[in-house]
Amino acid sequence: MLSCLKKLIILLGAYLLILNLAYAQGPVKTFSVLPFKINAPSEYEYLSTAAQTMLATRLTWSNHFEPVNTDIHSVPQNLAQAKSLIQKVNTDYLIYGTLTIIGNKCNLSVHALSKTGQDMPINLETNLDGLIAGLETVAKTINQKIFFKPEVKKNKPKQTVVLNSEFVYNETGQPGSFYLNPEFSFAGNMHNPNKWRSQTLPFAAVGMVAGDADKDGQVEIFILEKNKVHAYRRVKGLLKPLATYETPFTYQCLNINLLDLNKDGYPEIIVSARQDLSIHSFMLNFKNNHFKVVQDNIPYFLNVIKTPPYFLPTLIGQKFGLHRLFDPDSVYELVKMHGSYQPARHLSLPPHANVFNFTYLPQGKDYKIIVNHNDHLYVYTSTKGLLAKTEEMYAATNIGFSYYETTPGLGVSKTMEPYMYYISARLIPINLTKEENFQLLVSRPISISSQFFARYRNFPQGEMHCLFWDGVGLNLLWKTRRIKGSIMDYGLYDLNGDGKKELVVCINTYPGATGLSHKRTIIISYTLHQKTVQ
């Protein structure tokens, strides 16, 4: 009898636990965000739908809190009107608010109204540069109040990086598991298991990016050609071709990025492209081994940068200048409004920075701004004060185009020689050691001829460098051994599916000065051995 009673108590406890878990998870809730009411000069009217889009993006929580589109474009004037509107919308929560701007100060007043009539008001003061961060705070607050989702802060174990023998440590860098003087060692092991090399691909690459674009659990590698985008997957040590997307032959593709902009789980493949003096950037999806155009003829050069204060990947854009290649102070965060991408937040950047050539380098609670100007890295404070400049050449490529600069009111002279602009290679903040200060991953092209001829941009060899800010300048932490060929693009990706990211480098072979039309592409990956130190 006692045994049966114990069994009954155990079964009852399990039943209550299941009910509790089911209650805790609950059904998927929906929300609709209305355009914001703007109390500000007319120049800020675009923020009405921009704030709406940004907040909806940041509120979306898959399988928990999902958006529902609505045709309502009016802003409720009071709570009674909001309660009337929510009855017309098939949604659990109606989000609406007011944005007041006075000078550089912003006041966000947001209401989250439930279908049962419960109102959650949220007020926040910030400045214009902190508007996106403010909307992120509002989204977190709403999610926490609805789902009681606490912010979990885990004490992560301190980690150190043990790199494979294809990497060389600098004597002045942070301590590693070994040291090998880079002045004496350039040769690597041909059969090193910590280095992978693809087969040679029959074209010259412009850029490369990798990620699981079709949600099948496998990583695709997208390689950009002058007017094509190729999709590959690593299978049994080789790159298996999946599909190719071709632009018009007169297009020139410049860079490629991957970012899930609409939060549907399928990242957009983002490509900057030009045709003469027109910009024709575009975005693709990759599903079922096919490319699909999701947006074309975007009139901005595009890039993806992790912007402060949270350093989340952000789409930025810039147009051609009126009388020069890029007008100063013309880089913006872009958001999609009414079917097209529009400027939302202006990025305040140091001199010579443009959409292609800068990044933010987190340093504890602050950050540095790194700008590649004329193939040298300039280091600025977060307030745009110049700190240092590298003597060595970094992030140089041969991806470029000609342009003219004119005096206002005057046309282009027929005798005027065009200038050449070359796209910067990526400047990637990384933090393999999980410390407060990030390091910078960047290419170091090596060519004697390019030092004497400004337009000679074919680099027969190069290295990948990991630099850190030592308080005085950018110093070398580690580097790869010499790579034969021109480094075109790079990043940290998990190509072999083992859950650990590798350093992946896209290079073009260098056939010599007489055979530049016969360049071919090779992908190389290096394992980054990491171990945890308690």
Side-chain angles (χ1 to χ4, degrees):
M1 182 70 181
L2 185 60
S3 176
C4 292
L5 182 61
K6 286 182 178 178
K7 290 181 180 179
L8 181 62
I9 292 173
I10 292 172
L11 289 173
L12 181 60
Y15 176 71
L16 291 175
L17 179 61
I18 292 171
L19 283 180
N20 188 44
L21 290 173
Y23 175 78
Q25 180 174 349
V28 176
K29 295 185 183 297
T30 60
F31 68 90
S32 294
V33 182
L34 300 183
F36 272 60
K37 179 181 179 182
I38 304 299
N39 295 326
S42 59
E43 61 189 277
Y44 295 111
E45 281 299 321
Y46 72 92
L47 288 174
S48 176
T49 51
Q52 175 194 23
T53 303
M54 287 187 283
L55 183 57
T57 299
R58 285 153 177 80
L59 276 172
T60 301
W61 182 14
S62 181
N63 298 323
H64 290 82
F65 208 32
E66 296 184 350
V68 171
N69 292 329
T70 175
D71 294 330
I72 298 176
H73 301 291
S74 59
V75 181
Q77 300 300 314
N78 50 50
L79 183 59
Q81 288 186 11
K83 289 181 177 180
S84 176
L85 283 175
I86 199 172
Q87 302 305 319
K88 300 177 182 179
V89 183
N90 186 23
T91 185
D92 294 311
Y93 287 88
L94 188 70
I95 315 296
Y96 65 99
T98 301
L99 175 60
T100 303
I101 301 175
I102 302 175
N104 192 43
K105 299 295 182 181
C106 300
N107 179 270
L108 268 172
S109 177
V110 181
H111 292 264
L113 178 66
S114 70
K115 187 178 286 186
T116 59
Q118 184 180 3
D119 180 40
M120 290 185 291
I122 302 169
N123 289 287
L124 187 70
E125 290 190 358
T126 181
N127 53 39
L128 279 173
D129 289 338
L131 179 57
I132 292 180
L135 289 169
E136 288 171 350
T137 301
V138 169
K140 284 183 180 179
T141 303
I142 292 174
N143 270 319
Q144 288 169 4
K145 287 187 175 182
I146 292 175
F147 297 101
F148 307 102
K149 179 185 177 184
E151 288 192 72
V152 180
K153 295 183 179 180
K154 297 182 179 180
N155 293 323
K156 295 183 179 180
K158 185 179 179 181
Q159 295 190 358
T160 185
V161 181
V162 182
L163 299 170
N164 71 44
S165 58
E166 289 293 324
F167 295 142
V168 179
Y169 272 94
N170 185 7
E171 188 174 24
T172 59
Q174 301 172 14
S177 63
F178 65 91
Y179 168 71
L180 187 60
N181 191 329
E183 293 299 323
F184 301 121
S185 180
F186 292 101
N189 183 356
M190 291 178 59
H191 305 289
N192 190 336
N194 296 317
K195 176 182 176 182
W196 169 77
R197 178 187 183 277
S198 76
Q199 74 270 31
T200 302
L201 304 177
F203 56 84
V206 172
M208 172 208 67
V209 72
D212 184 6
D214 54 3
K215 293 178 63 176
D216 65 349
Q218 301 181 73
V219 173
E220 290 78 39
I221 305 173
F222 300 99
I223 303 178
L224 188 65
E225 200 179 346
K226 178 180 176 291
N227 64 326
K228 297 178 183 178
V229 182
H230 303 276
Y232 289 89
R233 184 176 294 131
R234 180 177 170 179
V235 179
K236 296 181 179 180
L238 295 175
L239 290 180
K240 177 184 176 181
L242 303 176
T244 296
Y245 172 80
E246 296 190 34
T247 70
F249 184 75
T250 53
Y251 275 35
Q252 181 189 8
C253 296
L254 301 172
N255 70 343
I256 184 169
N257 286 282
L258 200 65
L259 183 63
D260 185 4
L261 294 167
N262 58 7
K263 307 301 180 184
D264 64 349
Y266 294 93
E268 279 70 45
I269 303 161
I270 304 165
V271 179
S272 292
R274 62 179 285 275
Q275 184 184 43
D276 297 325
L277 296 178
S278 299
I279 303 175
H280 295 281
S281 298
F282 57 91
M283 297 181 186
L284 309 170
N285 274 152
F286 185 74
K287 299 178 183 179
N288 301 319
N289 287 348
H290 288 88
F291 287 105
K292 178 184 177 182
V293 178
V294 294
Q295 195 86 22
D296 59 0
N297 289 323
I298 303 172
Y300 291 91
F301 290 125
L302 305 174
N303 206 354
V304 173
I305 297 292
K306 293 183 177 180
T307 57
Y310 298 106
F311 299 99
L312 299 174
T314 303
L315 179 68
I316 64 171
Q318 188 174 25
K319 291 186 175 183
F320 278 126
L322 185 60
H323 301 290
R324 59 181 66 183
L325 179 58
F326 298 119
D327 284 337
D329 295 326
S330 58
V331 181
Y332 289 86
E333 177 180 347
L334 300 181
V335 296
K336 193 171 185 179
M337 296 183 291
H338 307 300
S340 64
Y341 283 89
Q342 303 291 335
R345 179 173 67 116
H346 169 254
L347 299 184
S348 180
L349 298 173
H352 310 298
N354 60 57
V355 68
F356 295 116
N357 71 346
F358 80 97
T359 194
Y360 298 99
L361 188 68
Q363 300 289 291
K365 296 181 179 179
D366 197 10
Y367 59 88
K368 301 289 187 288
I369 306 175
I370 313 296
V371 177
N372 176 15
H373 177 52
N374 291 335
D375 304 326
H376 295 274
L377 303 182
Y378 288 69
V379 184
Y380 295 88
T381 66
S382 56
T383 56
K384 300 187 291 184
L386 179 61
L387 292 173
K389 169 195 169 186
T390 62
E391 295 298 323
E392 299 82 6
M393 175 186 289
Y394 283 104
T397 73
N398 63 355
I399 308 166
F401 53 86
S402 61
Y403 69 98
Y404 293 92
E405 287 192 356
T406 63
T407 302
L410 300 178
V412 178
S413 171
K414 295 181 179 180
T415 61
M416 181 183 294
E417 286 291 325
Y419 298 94
M420 283 297 297
Y421 174 75
Y422 293 98
I423 302 297
S424 171
R426 293 187 198 271
L427 307 173
I428 305 179
I430 63 172
N431 191 2
L432 298 176
T433 57
K434 306 301 180 184
E435 297 177 353
E436 284 190 337
N437 295 343
F438 279 58
Q439 302 89 41
L440 182 71
L441 183 65
V442 63
S443 61
R444 168 84 166 95
I446 299 171
S447 171
I448 296 176
S449 299
S450 64
Q451 299 177 23
F452 300 99
F453 305 101
R455 294 200 179 188
Y456 187 85
R457 307 287 294 190
N458 292 291
F459 305 102
Q461 52 189 344
E463 299 166 347
M464 290 303 304
H465 283 205
C466 180
L467 307 177
F468 70 98
W469 174 253
D470 64 1
V472 178
L474 290 174
N475 204 344
L476 178 67
L477 178 58
W478 55 261
K479 67 176 183 177
T480 62
R481 298 179 184 274
R482 194 67 58 88
I483 299 171
K484 300 294 184 181
S486 299
I487 298 175
M488 303 306 297
D489 211 342
Y490 39 86
L492 299 181
Y493 308 113
D494 179 15
L495 295 189
N496 57 12
D498 64 355
K500 298 179 181 178
K501 290 186 177 182
E502 309 124 44
L503 169 59
V504 183
V505 184
C506 173
I507 66 169
N508 283 343
T509 59
Y510 182 78
T514 59
L516 297 180
S517 61
H518 301 287
K519 290 181 181 180
R520 297 295 181 261
T521 295
I522 296 172
I523 305 297
I524 301 173
S525 76
Y526 304 84
T527 61
L528 299 170
H529 288 175
Q530 294 179 288
K531 69 178 182 180
T532 300
V533 179
Q534 300 294 341

